[in-house]
Amino acid sequence: MAAEEKPAKDTLCSHPDCSEIATHKAPKGRGKDNDYLWFCLTHVRDYNKTYNYFSGMEDGDIAKYQKDASFGHRPTWKMGVNGKDGPSQAKSHDPYAFMAHRARQKAKASEQQSPNQRGRKLLNVEKKSLETLELDGTATKDDIKKRFKELAKKHHPDVNGGDKGSEDRLREIIQAYNYLKAAGFC
Ligand SMILES: [Zn+2]
């Protein structure tokens, strides 16, 4: 019964945790010029930051990344615990929103501390994501953000002459970071 389709103007931000009116659009991907996501200013910046890291990659790589991100970690998210998934953004078929939404639900009750401070046992996927960023359960939000920036810079293909190994490593880093972010770690 929710008013669905989107006169561009009244669209809500695609970020799963945000109910601002979307004012900025962002392309879903290269070669999909007519496909946009809509965000508020804060989240479009967020999204673009991630999106820009894909700029040197092939569409196939991006699609594969999105697929991995959407479904790869799914078993840890305990699908279907609540029958209904809350905000209307959940119906989005955008993998980014889907991934973030799922993880957000799971992390909802968590505080903004490092997992260890919370006395919380890390899931394997969380541990692995932290390890990818060369961190562990003592990492705070700032630690994670800071490390992500460092590593993303270090492994960006642009500074490595398009080196394939760097690109793979960068993709892992982005995936790990996006997971941690979606799960409320940073
Ligand atoms: Zn927003």
Side-chain angles (χ1 to χ4, degrees):
M1 61 196 244
E4 271 217 25
E5 289 318 322
K6 28 172 173 197
K9 290 215 168 127
D10 297 15
T11 305
L12 293 182
C13 177
S14 293
H15 190 283
D17 209 25
C18 178
S19 50
E20 302 277 317
I21 297 289
T23 48
H24 290 69
K25 66 180 176 180
K28 274 194 177 175
R30 290 179 306 123
K32 291 185 220 160
D33 293 342
N34 295 317
D35 255 356
Y36 293 99
L37 293 169
W38 288 84
F39 295 101
C40 68
L41 179 60
T42 307
H43 290 127
V44 78
R45 283 181 175 153
D46 234 37
Y47 179 83
N48 283 339
K49 236 187 279 169
T50 304
Y51 179 80
N52 286 340
Y53 286 119
F54 290 122
S55 60
M57 301 183 191
E58 297 302 317
D59 284 346
D61 289 340
I62 296 170
K64 182 170 179 305
Y65 160 75
Q66 288 177 326
K67 189 165 171 287
D68 290 349
S70 312
F71 302 112
H73 301 133
R74 191 158 148 172
T76 65
W77 288 338
K78 289 249 195 296
M79 307 274 290
V81 170
N82 304 322
K84 120 172 148 58
D85 285 330
S88 60
Q89 288 93 329
K91 69 181 180 297
S92 165
H93 28 80
D94 167 48
Y96 170 86
F98 175 84
M99 172 183 76
H101 176 73
R102 284 289 176 206
R104 180 70 65 180
Q105 276 189 305
K106 191 177 172 317
K108 219 161 212 156
S110 299
E111 292 304 315
Q112 321 273 316
Q113 300 164 314
S114 80
N116 279 5
Q117 285 171 313
R118 272 179 254 151
R120 176 175 170 303
K121 195 165 181 312
L122 292 173
L123 301 172
N124 279 338
V125 63
E126 294 166 348
K127 219 164 128 187
K128 234 185 122 213
S129 297
L130 285 166
E131 279 167 8
T132 300
L133 300 180
E134 298 162 24
L135 294 167
D136 60 26
T138 63
T140 65
K141 291 178 159 222
D142 284 348
D143 292 337
I144 294 170
K145 283 183 189 158
K146 192 162 161 251
R147 180 60 52 83
F148 172 67
K149 275 184 199 155
E150 287 167 7
L151 291 176
K153 209 173 195 178
K154 183 173 159 198
H155 293 283
H156 197 288
D158 288 354
V159 300
N160 293 284
D163 174 65
K164 183 72 174 120
S166 277
E167 204 175 301
D168 291 345
R169 176 83 177 108
L170 176 65
R171 197 168 342 176
E172 285 170 19
I173 290 162
I174 293 170
Q175 184 165 349
Y177 179 74
N178 278 350
Y179 179 83
L180 292 170
K181 190 170 171 183
F185 281 66
C186 56

